[in-house]
Amino acid sequence: MTVTWEELGWERLAAGVGRCRLPGWDCTAGLVVGAGTALVVDAGSSLPEGARLRAQAQRLAGHRVTHLALTHPHFDHVFGAAAFAGAEVFGAVGAEAVFTGRHGREELRADAVRCGLDARLAEEAVDALTAPRHHVSGEWTLDLGGGRQVLLANVGPAHTAHDLVVLVPGAPEVVFCGDLVEESGEPQAGPDAVPSRWPAALDRLLALGGEDALYVPGHGAVVDAAFVRAQRDALADRFGVSR
C-alpha cells in the first residue's frame, strides 16, 4: 500500500526528496529516493529510532535503504546507524576514528547520557556502532540511478572536525546541512568544534547550494540562503572570526 510523505509525518521537499524531524532532540533525518536505491541522511539517536527511520524510509521509497550518509559524529545523528545493515555508509574522512576509538566511543556514550538518552539505549548503540565505510575527503558524487545524482561534500572542520553535507540537485536544490546550520536553537559548539573555521564552512555551503536552494538544518525548520548567511555572520561575531 502506497503512503504519502505527510501520512508518515515527513516533509516532502522536492520529487523523491524529504525529511522528518525526530522527537527528543528535533534532529533531522533526510531521504533521497533513486531508481531501486534510497539514501538516508543521518540515522537517529538510538537503535530503535534508527529501525523506525529505516522502516519509514523503505515504505516511502518502495524498496530497501541502500546508502546512509552521516553528517557528523554526534550521538543524535549516528546512534541508529547499526539499524541500516547492508547499507553503504558514508562520512567525512577521519570520522571513523570517533566510531572505532575507545575514547571517541566513550565520549559519544557519555554525551548521550548527559543529554538525556537512557543509559541502556546508549550502551546498546555504542556496542553496535557502525563506522562509515566510505570516507569523503573532498567531494563525492553518488549515482542513485534513474538520473539522480547526489553530491557529498566534506566542508569542515566547523561544528565538528568531520562535517559532511549532502547536496541534491534539482528544482529546487536541497542541501542537508547537518548541525552546521541550526534553526530551532543557537548552533552548538562543543569541545570537538573548530569555531575559527565555521564561517568559512558556511561560505562553502552557500557556494554549493546557491541562492535558491532549500537548506535543511540539523535541527529546526528548513531555511533559505539569507538565513544561512545571517547565521554565518552571527558565528563570525560570536567567535571573533574576521569576515
Side-chain angles (χ1 to χ4, degrees), residues 1-144:
M1 179 180 174
T2 346
V3 294
T4 66
W5 297 81
E6 293 74 19
E7 284 172 329
L8 290 183
W10 286 63
E11 180 182 0
R12 184 179 178 276
L13 303 172
V17 184
R19 68 83 175 253
C20 66
R21 293 168 71 168
L22 300 169
W25 292 275
D26 189 25
C27 186
T28 283
L31 172 63
V32 185
V33 181
T37 62
L39 165 69
V40 167
V41 181
D42 285 337
S45 61
S46 68
L47 287 174
E49 188 165 74
R52 288 192 297 271
L53 182 58
R54 180 173 186 163
Q56 290 183 358
Q58 290 182 164
R59 286 191 72 189
L60 291 168
H63 45 257
R64 73 183 187 92
V65 173
T66 53
H67 300 79
L68 174 65
L70 301 175
T71 60
H72 61 286
H74 281 170
F75 84 91
D76 49 334
H77 297 260
V78 305
F79 266 9
F84 292 81
E88 296 292 331
V89 184
F90 293 78
V93 68
E96 67 278 3
V98 180
F99 292 80
T100 57
R102 181 176 176 182
H103 176 72
R105 292 162 68 90
E106 175 54 29
E107 281 299 306
L108 281 173
R109 185 203 64 77
D111 186 47
V113 173
R114 277 193 304 268
C115 289
L117 184 66
D118 178 83
R120 179 187 58 82
L121 290 176
E123 290 286 355
E124 180 184 57
V126 168
D127 286 345
L129 202 54
T130 301
R133 177 183 171 190
H134 304 287
H135 312 138
V136 182
S137 59
E139 295 180 0
W140 187 313
T141 300
L142 190 60
D143 190 348
L144 295 180

Side-chain angles (χ1 to χ4, degrees), residues 146-211:
R148 166 142 278 164
Q149 292 188 328
V150 172
L151 181 70
L152 309 179
N154 181 340
V155 301
H159 173 66
T160 71
H162 316 290
D163 292 308
L164 187 74
V165 301
V166 179
L167 170 67
V168 187
E173 292 193 329
V174 178
V175 186
F176 292 98
C177 307
D179 287 2
L180 289 170
V181 179
E182 295 194 40
E183 185 275 336
S184 54
E186 187 176 74
Q188 298 301 300
D192 56 344
V194 186
S196 63
R197 301 282 293 276
W198 203 330
L202 292 184
D203 281 332
R204 184 158 176 221
L205 187 71
L206 287 162
L208 285 169
E211 283 301 306

